[in-house]
Amino acid sequence: MSFGPNPWQQTQWDWRAAGNFICGGAGSGLIALTALTGVRGAPAAVMLIAGLALIGFGLAFVWAELGRPLRALHVFFNPRTSWMTREAIAATALFPVGFAAAAGAYLGVGAAAWPAALLALAFLYCQSRMLQAARGVTAWHEPLTVALLVVTGLTEGAALFWLAQPWHGQAGALSAALLAVLLLVRAAVWLAYRRRLGGRIAARAQTALDRAGRLLLVGGTALPLLLLAGQAAGAATTLLAALAGLLALIAGSYMKFVLVTRAGHNRGFAIRHVPVRGAPPLGG
């Protein structure tokens, strides 16, 4: 069913919109985590550029989804009320600052990444509010959607940082502890989000979210935490510990894909008062 009194799945946002949330969140998180962990030199420059590339890929997905791609500049016309406009403005400011930060990091400028990190966090927040602003979709309009998407983006950034650890060799106890904390926070926010939704969503949406939730909690939280603990205790190799980042990244990306594409059911119509022939009008 695509129209009627019962909830139906929206079709305006598909896998391309999900790709924006997946790539944009991970890229923003990677930029923020690169600044927070204080990585310097070529590794920092590469990860900053990688974060920008992910955000660019995400925006390209959205551009490809437009029915009239040449009218994409219209997104800048409504900054007072549109979170999509604010996301676009944050991205426009982020790219030049991000490339400058990458050059500064390569040259050894310690604080070069912080302005880019702040803009990346602003982009991530605007993106999260954009989904939550959809009043007609129960699973999106839940207030905890913003916290879920923000903490998932940060977790994915930390996961990418840890996944690249065998290459850059700069992920130590701080980055491992940070990833572990973000994994636990993401799991807690997810559980609170699902508890608040309760039975207010369509049965198909609930089934899809529960399946994604099991993957998020087991494959994307419990297993990565075990691998991180094993690496800290010397029982796991560096490559096995990097697997923790890969698992956390895949589970978070799948959750966002399901949230956008399979759990996006509209509320449907609600007729609170049915007219009865011969009865006086309400309030008459």
Side-chain angles (χ1 to χ4, degrees), residues 28-86:
S28 301
L30 181 59
I31 293 172
L33 267 295
T34 300
L36 184 61
T37 52
V39 180
R40 308 285 178 85
V46 170
M47 284 187 285
L48 288 171
I49 293 175
L52 292 174
L54 283 170
I55 293 174
F57 277 129
L59 294 174
F61 281 129
V62 175
W63 180 79
E65 189 181 23
L66 295 176
R68 298 181 179 179
L70 296 181
R71 300 180 63 183
L73 290 178
H74 289 195
V75 74
F76 291 98
F77 292 171
N78 199 15
R80 292 180 61 252
T81 58
S82 172
W83 284 104
M84 185 176 291
T85 299
R86 295 163 188 166

Side-chain angles (χ1 to χ4, degrees), residues 133-180:
R135 296 177 181 273
V137 180
T138 305
W140 297 355
H141 192 55
E142 163 59 42
L144 276 179
T145 301
V146 176
L148 179 63
L149 291 180
V150 168
V151 74
T152 300
L154 294 175
T155 305
E156 289 169 336
L160 282 170
F161 185 86
W162 191 259
L163 179 60
Q165 194 269 345
W167 165 69
H168 58 68
Q170 300 189 41
L174 173 62
S175 59
L178 188 59
L179 176 56

